[in-house]
Amino acid sequence: MKNRTLIAVLCLLALPAWGLAQSFLLQGPPPDGKGRITLRYFWPQAGLYGDRGYDLLSGLYDLSAAYRLGERLHLVAALPYLAYRDSFVNWEQEKITRRGSGLGGISVALRHLLSRGEGRNTTLTAGAYLPTFDCAKRDYWECKNLSAVGIEADFPEFPKSLDATTLFARIARYRGLNGGWRAGLEGGAFLMIPRGGGTAPLYAQAGVAVGRSAGPVDVTAEWSGTVRLAGFVDEFFIHIYHQVGLGASWGRGRLRPGVFYTMPLDRHSRENSRGAVGVRLSYEL
């Protein structure tokens, strides 16, 4: 555990950049042009049953977009898709395979540019995760397993993997530094409203990203944390979660491919997940 924490700290100090390794720094700085379209695939490094892993196609597929509506306003949306296939041998030595797939919680938001200066800006984002992840249309285990694979793949945005409506607001500050370095700080909160009513949990989140560009290459490191302030929901019982993410992207033009890795730091999450690896492809409009 000490070695893992030390590696995470060193990564934060030595590999700075932007929010490539998707934390709740959802889209990074606002796009310079008309907008940005991004496709990401997260592959969680843990199975539904301890050390047994998912197959290569299991994970979270996420298509997101930011589109400029005006000089200071962007429409931001994301369409997540969850899939899993996991096998294990039961007590009768029979191989059991469970699988499932389906749409996650679609998110829609407006992002307003509060202030802008040379190499820096401040944005406010407000929106909702819609209840499109509907467990009523699935059996119990399919719902639980899809939710698990989505949360393990992209914990900072776990509302997209739960059967609930979630309202959120975030404020972010981005700044360009000398020598190609950049830094970002973001904080926010969200309120989850479970389907069918009941207690509505309230969460707070924070994120920090630093990084550097060298020619066509961007290298990324970021930290994000989530804490439950009030309320409780059975499907999600972790009180506090934080992770680091590392990533790199390449591109001089509109098309920008990248890779990333996220790793949980809190003890409870490390018992069930070794993190997630992924690929990303973004296109500047």
Side-chain angles (χ1 to χ4, degrees):
M1 183 174 70
K2 291 182 179 179
N3 291 337
R4 196 166 190 172
T5 303
L6 177 60
I7 291 173
V9 172
L10 290 176
C11 288
L12 277 175
L13 294 175
L15 290 175
W18 253 168
L20 215 209
Q22 165 74 3
S23 78
F24 98 102
L25 298 170
L26 182 58
Q27 293 286 336
D32 295 327
K34 293 182 179 179
R36 177 187 299 128
I37 298 174
T38 303
L39 177 63
R40 289 174 308 221
Y41 167 59
F42 299 77
W43 184 42
Q45 295 296 288
L48 300 176
Y49 306 96
D51 293 333
R52 286 180 286 272
Y54 302 112
D55 69 12
L56 188 57
L57 297 180
S58 298
L60 170 63
Y61 301 81
D62 189 84
L63 178 65
S64 61
Y67 185 77
R68 186 183 296 275
L69 299 177
E71 183 179 353
R72 292 179 173 268
L73 189 66
H74 285 82
L75 174 66
V76 181
L79 180 70
Y81 187 82
L82 305 168
Y84 79 92
R85 182 179 183 276
D86 204 16
S87 300
F88 66 99
V89 177
N90 65 11
W91 63 277
E92 295 180 335
Q93 299 303 305
E94 297 174 328
K95 185 177 180 180
I96 305 297
T97 299
R98 291 180 175 178
R99 67 186 71 192
S101 61
L103 186 65
I106 296 172
S107 63
V108 180
L110 290 175
R111 173 173 293 176
H112 179 61
L113 184 60
L114 297 177
S115 65
R116 178 170 53 191
E118 185 176 352
R120 64 182 184 276
N121 58 64
T122 303
T123 62
L124 173 65
T125 304
Y129 294 91
L130 305 179
T132 49
F133 180 76
D134 190 355
C135 283
K137 299 179 180 179
R138 304 180 174 94
D139 66 37
Y140 176 84
W141 283 111
E142 182 183 9
C143 180
K144 290 290 186 181
N145 292 342
L146 283 174
S147 182
V149 78
I151 291 173
E152 290 176 11
D154 186 15
F155 191 98
E157 286 199 272
F158 69 85
K160 69 176 63 171
S161 304
L162 295 177
D163 190 0
T165 300
T166 303
L167 308 177
F168 68 88
R170 302 162 178 160
I171 189 167
R173 175 75 169 177
Y174 304 101
R175 185 179 181 88
L177 306 173
N178 294 330
W181 291 87
R182 299 183 295 253
L185 176 66
E186 185 167 338
F190 57 90
L191 180 69
M192 182 187 301
I193 305 171
R195 188 187 297 270
T199 303
L202 176 66
Y203 299 87
Q205 287 188 320
V208 176
V210 289
R212 190 172 187 271
S213 296
V217 179
D218 279 344
V219 181
T220 302
E222 87 182 3
W223 169 90
S224 65
T226 303
V227 59
R228 188 176 72 245
L229 302 177
F232 182 81
V233 60
D234 291 341
E235 289 80 7
F236 179 65
F237 51 85
I238 297 176
H239 174 66
I240 186 169
Y241 176 92
H242 56 114
Q243 72 172 32
V244 291
L246 306 174
S249 66
W250 181 91
R252 291 184 180 275
R254 294 187 174 185
L255 197 62
R256 301 177 183 177
V259 295
F260 58 86
Y261 172 67
T262 61
M263 180 177 69
L265 298 179
D266 60 287
R267 186 185 66 177
H268 183 281
S269 300
R270 289 200 307 269
E271 292 174 351
N272 298 287
S273 174
R274 297 184 296 275
V277 296
V279 294
R280 164 177 167 155
L281 183 64
S282 64
Y283 181 78
E284 301 290 324
L285 301 178

